[in-house]
Amino acid sequence: MATGAEFDAGYLRWRASEAHAALIGEGLPTRVQPFSFVPLAGLASVLDALALSPGQTLVDLGCGRGGPGLWLAEQARARLIGVDASRVAVADARQRQHLFPTVPHACFTVAEVATTGLPDACAHAVVSIDVLQLVDDQPAMAREAVRLLRPGGRLALTTWEGSGSAPQRFPRDLAGLLADAGLRVDAIVEQPAWAKRQYDIYARAAAAAEAGGDPAVEDLAAEGRRAQAWRHAVRRVLVTAHHPASPQP
Ligand SMILES: C[S@@+](CC[C@H](N)C(=O)[O-])C[C@H]1O[C@@H](n2cnc3c(N)ncnc32)[C@H](O)[C@@H]1O
């Protein structure tokens, strides 16, 4: 699986490409600049699931360049702690912060999602967008989410669940993975519209890459070619869960 350093090299290419930003950010506010495949309506569903109140703390595991987490924190007027293994992504996230001036507090740290170094029970909610399938020790990431959550705190996670010929990195049993970590799973909802958008983006990247000259767009096109091999063996999902203990008054 890609390391933080490998993601650093990617982010250096992707940050230099307006075409890449336009492709992957299609339909989202420009300042969000995701490196993920959740549409704006999907971020709104994630926001609903997190059920944050103003002033509460959201931890974003694998925050990338910060935009999706900052958007969520802005909508909820919540505080944000973003964690990512890529130094380049975290540097970009720190620079992006000023584009979300109503977020009451945001900070970003370079760390592994399974060993964040953050204090126990620091989060009212944890979000992770398109990260789990990239992580070597997925049970450890789930346990870390439980450790970070306050009693009753909510988790929203977007990923792909694999079966059959899907690469091993795609989790086979998300409900079991999260339950084994100590979470109560509320729902695993398949998101066909998100998947359609993802493959549409790959198709547009493939067409744009034919002109050549933009390594970031070529990265996206290459990812799309690889994805064709496992497309029918994964399902695109939003997973919601919560910490099993009752919320403290
Ligand atoms: C597909 S990107 C998603 C980024 C962000 N959530 C977004 O929506 O734009 C996956 C991110 O996970 C990070 N990542 C992958 N494995 C990680 C790990 N083990 N620990 C911390 N971050 C990791 C990568 O550096 C990358 O920024």
Side-chain angles (χ1 to χ4, degrees):
M1 305 229 191
T3 61
E6 285 162 337
F7 267 100
D8 283 349
Y11 278 118
L12 288 172
R13 288 193 298 278
W14 307 327
R15 72 149 62 132
S17 169
E18 282 179 23
H20 182 271
L23 283 163
I24 203 160
E26 179 268 325
L28 292 162
T30 312
R31 64 201 171 116
V32 173
Q33 201 174 39
F35 183 58
S36 53
F37 291 99
V38 178
L40 191 58
L43 285 184
S45 300
V46 167
L47 181 67
D48 281 349
L50 296 171
L52 284 157
S53 300
Q56 291 190 334
T57 297
L58 172 65
V59 170
D60 183 358
L61 294 177
C63 63
R65 293 174 287 191
L70 283 162
W71 185 87
L72 292 165
E74 178 184 70
Q75 306 308 306
R77 299 283 189 271
R79 301 162 64 87
L80 176 68
I81 303 172
V83 176
D84 200 283
S86 163
R87 292 181 182 282
V88 174
V90 166
D92 282 4
R94 289 177 181 146
Q95 291 200 344
R96 185 171 314 282
Q97 215 168 312
H98 78 277
L99 299 174
F100 296 83
T102 58
V103 173
H105 176 80
C107 63
F108 297 94
T109 180
V110 179
E112 287 288 315
V113 291
T115 51
T116 62
L118 297 174
D120 291 354
C122 63
H124 295 86
V126 170
V127 67
S128 186
I129 297 180
D130 294 1
V131 179
L132 180 74
Q133 76 289 344
L134 299 168
V135 173
D136 285 333
D137 192 342
Q138 295 173 4
M141 179 182 172
R143 288 193 298 273
E144 183 70 348
V146 180
R147 186 185 73 76
L148 295 174
L149 281 171
R150 294 162 64 104
R154 281 93 41 209
L155 172 73
L157 195 138
T158 68
T159 189
W160 294 259
E161 191 170 48
S163 61
S165 61
Q168 283 309 312
R169 66 189 176 91
F170 291 104
R172 291 308 205 251
D173 174 15
L174 273 165
L177 176 79
L178 298 182
D180 289 350
L183 285 156
R184 292 266 164 77
V185 178
D186 298 310
I188 300 180
V189 181
E190 190 162 359
Q191 304 289 343
W194 302 8
K196 180 182 181 311
R197 175 177 175 275
Q198 175 187 354
Y199 294 106
D200 287 350
I201 289 170
Y202 288 148
R204 286 202 297 280
E210 277 177 22
D214 186 332
V217 171
E218 283 163 20
D219 283 348
L220 203 49
E223 183 179 318
R225 286 192 296 278
R226 287 192 299 274
Q228 290 305 328
W230 41 257
R231 175 175 182 169
H232 298 293
V234 296
R235 61 186 200 119
R236 184 65 162 129
V237 290
L238 166 60
V239 185
T240 51
H242 65 275
H243 188 285
S246 301
Q248 287 161 349

